[in-house]
Amino acid sequence: MSAVTDRLPTFPWDKLEPYKATAAAHPDGIVDLSVGTPVDPVPELIQKALVAAADSPGYPTVWGTPELRDALTGWVERRLGARDITHHHVLPIVGSKELVAWLPTQLGLGPGDKVAFPRLAYPTYEVGARLAQADHVAYDDPTDLDPTDLKLLWLNSPSNPTGKVLSAAELTRIVAWAREHDILVFADECYIELGWEADPVSVLHPDVCGGSYEGIVSVHSLSKRSNLAGYRAAFLAGDPAVLGDLLQIRKHGGMMTSAPTQAAVIAALSDDTHVREQRERYAARRTALRDALLQHGFRIEHSEASLYLWATRDESCWTTVAHLADLGILVAPGDFYGPAGDNFVRVALTATDERVNAAVARLQR
């Protein structure tokens, strides 16, 4: 077991515990803007669908029910603008983090193969490469990379942590370059429904992929859009050859989304009203926190989409974390996402209105 754990970095959130204790000691309690876990209720229609499917004594299938695949294909075409999506173009997964961590292993990558991801990125991209004993490389522009032995290219738009959005022109250029060099592209699009000052585009849009899904797969999650982080509900869409191989591997591994969760996903993807309502909640919290941080002397970079504000006071991120912890506000240090984040903190919008208002009041004093 130690041979596996030795490949992994220190779990970053453990480093935040002392600052969490400081913030929790605030007389009015902690405002936790660090992890980004949803706090609003699961929409009632989704809860009802889950309960209605609770009597599910048999094993679910890895590929999901035909009704689930109908819901996935319908959403991909309706929301992402993709065309001619069939059941073979989609695959449910047990939450997106599981996929990110184990994808290089499931693709058969190993020593000598390279996995690339953005310079500022979700740490699990690197963890996935390490678990597979593959090499990993961070980039500012992936087309500047040496394509030799590069087998998997992660894109992330909108970005976690920065909220940066890649334009359709940028995505088109990157996809063309990857195809030229036979590099598989996985695009993490889990925040695509949360564009504020930009309208995120999927790699599956015909303007980007030219109507062909060869060599590209997009990753989607219901955790943030529908408050389903506790359900572990996500899915893939794209190249049917890649998804077909992953389906067979995941069958052997028993990576099945529970039957009640599959029913909940069908309900969630069939309703856009709750998504608009949740967006409005996050938009209001974003405006309040953004204005308060700017008044407090922060500068906000990117943050045109996603559930985070990428903020700096041009000092060590840990100095900023300590300063905010003294105010009872916990945020994520930017270096969790790579050395390029040393002077930034990530501020999540995922707190109740009451807690966001408390943070705003503390920042304005």
Side-chain angles (χ1 to χ4, degrees), residues 80 166 170 193:
L80 304 183
L166 296 175
E170 290 174 298
E193 302 231 56

Side-chain angles (χ1 to χ4, degrees), residues 19-43:
Y19 301 92
K20 185 175 184 178
T22 297
H26 190 279
D28 186 38
I30 188 173
V31 180
D32 192 341
L33 307 177
S34 61
V35 176
T37 186
V39 297
D40 299 303
V42 174

